């Protein structure tokens, strides 16, 4: 793809994002054929938005999630500043196609992990983390059927990013906790809607964090100090409708609420 094709694809995706509309897929002329081309389009979408990138999301971190969207591994998507909210926020579902809420571990980076040839180890990546937070993602796609288009087009669509809600940094000593075995529950309108654990996030959310550090080292400029990374849902996404409220309970690591309209 040349820069004109990349811009054309990004302009289509950004127009549909702004208007909360959907289309079938990118035309053959501007359709990415690789992860690298998908990430190039994604970067152009962020540029067209005029917003800063405040962090990253990881999509398809469970085997079930990968099977659902027919990809063979996780996907990274940038998080835009105007889509970042705090606990207690109320999110409009107008135009949202997916209508789900996902409970996720989030890490805020304290140190830059730049692009490099050698892979980052889990221990290196964790040493660069400043804090751990509970988070809720409310994803969406600009495609009518995002389950059939493959990794490159989904990456171009910012890996189905839309809204995310970040809770305060946990006061617990999270570094001594086995996050893979740590339980997470979600409540919709006060009733239990789902349970899971960090094991549903690539086996361990710390491993997921290392994955995206290396993915961005390969296809981008790496993780920056201050970036927030939401690592993928710990439980089956919770269906939501207008007037619902969702609470994500991470036990000693924190609790986070969001409402919908």
């Amino acid at each position: 793809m040349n820069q004109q094709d990349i811009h054309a694809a990004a302009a289509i995706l950004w127009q549909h994002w702004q208007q909360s509309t959907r289309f079938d897929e990118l035309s053959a002329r501007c359709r990415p054929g690789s992860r690298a081309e998908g990430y190039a389009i994604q970067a152009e979408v962020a540029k067209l938005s005029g917003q800063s990138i405040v962090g990253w999301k990881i999509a398809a971190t469970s085997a079930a999630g990968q099977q659902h969207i027919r990809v063979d591994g996780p996907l990274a998507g940038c998080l835009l500043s105007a889509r970042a909210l705090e606990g207690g926020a109320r999110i409009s579902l107008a135009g949202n196609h997916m209508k789900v809420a996902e409970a996720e571990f989030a890490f805020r980076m304290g140190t830059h992990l730049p692009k490099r040839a050698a892979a980052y180890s889990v221990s290196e990546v964790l040493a660069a983390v400043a804090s751990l937070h509970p988070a809720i993602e409310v994803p969406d796609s600009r495609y009518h059927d995002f389950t059939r288009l493959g990794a490159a087009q989904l990456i171009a669509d910012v890996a189905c990013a839309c809204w995310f809600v970040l809770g305060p940094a946990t006061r617990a000593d999270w570094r001594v906790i086995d996050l893979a075995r740590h339980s997470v529950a979600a409540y919709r309108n006060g009733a239990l809607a789902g349970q899971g654990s960090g094991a549903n996030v690539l086996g361990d959310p710390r491993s997921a964090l290392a994955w995206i550090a290396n993915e961005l080292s390969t296809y981008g400029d790496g993780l920056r100090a201050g970036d927030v990374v939401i690592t993928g849902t710990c439980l089956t996404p919770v269906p939501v409708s207008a007037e619902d409220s969702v609470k994500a309970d991470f036990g000693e690591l924190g609790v986070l609420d969001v409402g919908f309209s």
Side-chain angles (χ1 to χ4, degrees):
M1 298 183 74
N2 59 37
Q3 188 57 40
Q4 184 177 2
D5 297 334
I6 290 168
H7 179 81
I12 293 167
L13 287 161
W14 179 238
Q15 178 184 8
H16 283 282
W17 196 342
Q18 287 179 294
Q19 297 176 354
S20 295
T21 53
R22 281 165 293 285
F23 67 113
D24 289 334
E25 64 179 324
L26 291 165
S27 67
R29 181 179 67 83
C30 61
R31 185 183 305 152
S34 66
R35 279 181 175 256
E37 291 179 347
Y39 284 120
I41 294 169
Q42 181 182 132
E44 187 70 10
V45 171
K47 188 182 298 184
L48 289 175
S49 77
Q51 302 171 41
S52 60
I53 294 174
V54 296
W56 300 87
K57 65 163 288 184
I58 312 175
T61 51
S62 69
Q66 291 168 17
Q67 183 177 13
H68 178 58
I69 61 174
R70 304 180 195 181
V71 297
D72 59 3
L75 316 171
C78 60
L79 299 174
L80 301 176
S81 56
R83 296 283 168 160
L85 304 170
E86 296 181 347
R90 195 166 186 83
I91 295 174
S92 172
L93 292 173
N96 188 292
H97 183 49
M98 291 185 173
K99 290 186 173 64
V100 295
E102 301 178 347
E104 311 195 13
F105 289 97
F107 297 91
R108 187 182 294 278
M109 306 307 296
T111 305
H112 183 202
L113 295 176
K115 187 181 188 74
R116 74 180 194 189
Y120 285 101
S121 67
V122 174
S123 59
E124 282 182 289
V125 175
L126 288 177
V129 173
S131 53
L132 175 72
H133 305 245
I136 295 174
E137 185 187 9
V138 182
D140 201 16
S141 175
R142 274 49 68 177
Y143 301 121
H144 284 299
D145 185 359
F146 57 91
T147 66
R148 65 175 186 85
L149 299 181
Q153 286 203 76
L154 291 175
I155 290 169
D157 189 30
V158 200
C160 299
C162 193
W163 298 98
F164 80 101
V165 183
L166 188 68
T170 183
R171 296 183 179 182
D173 186 3
W174 63 270
R175 293 182 186 273
V176 303
I177 296 173
D178 184 350
L179 298 182
R181 300 181 65 181
H182 191 79
S183 296
V184 180
Y187 297 84
R188 183 181 52 233
N189 304 326
L192 182 65
Q195 289 180 295
S197 72
N200 291 322
V201 185
L202 281 184
D204 190 317
R206 295 165 293 193
S207 299
L209 184 66
W211 175 86
I212 198 170
N214 288 309
E215 183 82 346
L216 297 179
S217 178
T218 301
Y219 297 107
D221 297 321
L223 283 171
R224 304 167 302 174
D227 279 352
V228 170
V229 177
I230 55 175
T231 52
T233 186
C234 298
L235 43 85
T236 301
V238 177
V240 292
S241 302
E243 307 309 321
D244 282 347
S245 62
V246 169
K247 178 174 73 173
D249 188 347
F250 290 75
E252 65 182 308
L253 298 177
V255 178
L256 183 61
D257 294 276
V258 64
F260 297 94
S261 62

